[in-house]
């Protein structure tokens, strides 16, 4: 879940709204008591290093990500030493930014994010982007990602659980230009759980995702 425009606050949160940027807790309701029950989230061996992952692995026709200068990212997960796990983390960095680029471009069918999402997750992400387009808004500020746990179950299947700090990420309405800043609450911290598959291009694409805003596992 990301911070979404105030105009969209009444829309029911789904996994689609849990994708990338903006979903600070200021305008959303608190999570339920069961908000930490995401499979695989109980591990405590996640990296807290401030060193970002290296660039995503080479593959055919990988799309170029070009974002507004006011969008910043901090990926606090270091190299695991496992080639497949590191590729999952690197591709997740790209998929997060690709969605924000689609929002900035106001294009629900932007080819870059579709390169990193398939099936259910692709359909949810498209709807998420459409909500921003309808509101004539995009994201701005800095998002921090941390406490990542990766599991590669076989050659083409993996899961990823991680946290996001959205306390410095906001929605920005385009006409007239206005940043919707909200206060920091426990809901500014979000827990994500993803299922990924390695597609024919050799990319770890997001197939399914879920999120829990306000998770105790992600609080500072």
């Amino acid at each position: 879940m990301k911070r979404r425009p105030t105009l969209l606050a009444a829309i029911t949160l789904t996994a689609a709204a849990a994708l990338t940027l903006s979903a600070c807790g200021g305008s959303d309701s608190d999570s339920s008591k069961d908000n930490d029950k995401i499979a695989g989230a109980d591990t405590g061996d996640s990296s807290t290093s401030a060193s970002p992952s290296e660039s995503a692995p080479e593959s055919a026709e990988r799309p170029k990500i070009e974002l507004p200068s006011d969008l910043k990212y901090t990926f606090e997960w270091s190299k695991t030493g496992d080639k497949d796990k590191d590729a999952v983390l690197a591709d997740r960095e790209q998929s997060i930014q690709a969605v924000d680029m689609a929002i900035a471009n106001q294009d629900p069918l932007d080819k870059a994010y579709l390169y990193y999402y398939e099936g259910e997750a692709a359909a949810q992400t498209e709807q998420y982007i459409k909500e921003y387009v309808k509101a004539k808004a995009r994201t701005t500020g800095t998002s921090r990602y941390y406490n990542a746990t990766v599991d590669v179950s076989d050659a083409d299947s993996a899961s990823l659980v991680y946290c996001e700090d959205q306390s410095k990420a906001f929605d920005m309405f385009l006409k007239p230009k206005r940043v919707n800043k909200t206060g920091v609450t426990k809901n500014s911290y979000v827990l994500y759980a993803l299922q990924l598959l390695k597609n024919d291009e050799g990319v770890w694409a997001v197939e399914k995702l879920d999120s829990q805003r306000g998770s105790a596992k992600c609080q500072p």
Side-chain angles (χ1 to χ4, degrees), residues 16-113:
L19 290 186
T20 50
L21 263 186
S22 260
C24 181
S27 62
D28 288 283
S29 60
D30 289 348
S31 302
S32 67
K33 294 181 180 179
D34 296 327
N35 66 351
D36 292 325
K37 295 182 180 179
I38 290 183
D42 292 333
T43 56
D45 59 350
S46 303
S47 169
T48 56
S49 170
S51 300
S53 300
E54 293 179 3
S55 58
E58 292 294 330
S59 64
E61 304 300 326
R62 185 176 289 272
K64 184 176 182 180
I65 307 297
E66 297 180 309
L67 293 160
S69 60
D70 57 285
L71 274 175
K72 307 292 184 183
Y73 306 85
T74 301
F75 295 101
E76 294 182 359
W77 45 53
S78 60
K79 306 291 282 187
T80 67
D82 181 283
K83 181 179 179 181
D84 290 329
K85 290 182 178 180
D86 290 339
V88 169
L89 291 171
D91 281 340
R92 184 55 183 151
E93 292 181 14
Q94 294 296 298
S95 64
I96 286 171
Q97 295 176 74
V99 172
D100 290 334
M101 184 172 75
I103 292 173
N105 292 338
Q106 298 282 278
D107 183 3
L109 296 177
D110 190 277
K111 292 182 179 180
Y113 91 82

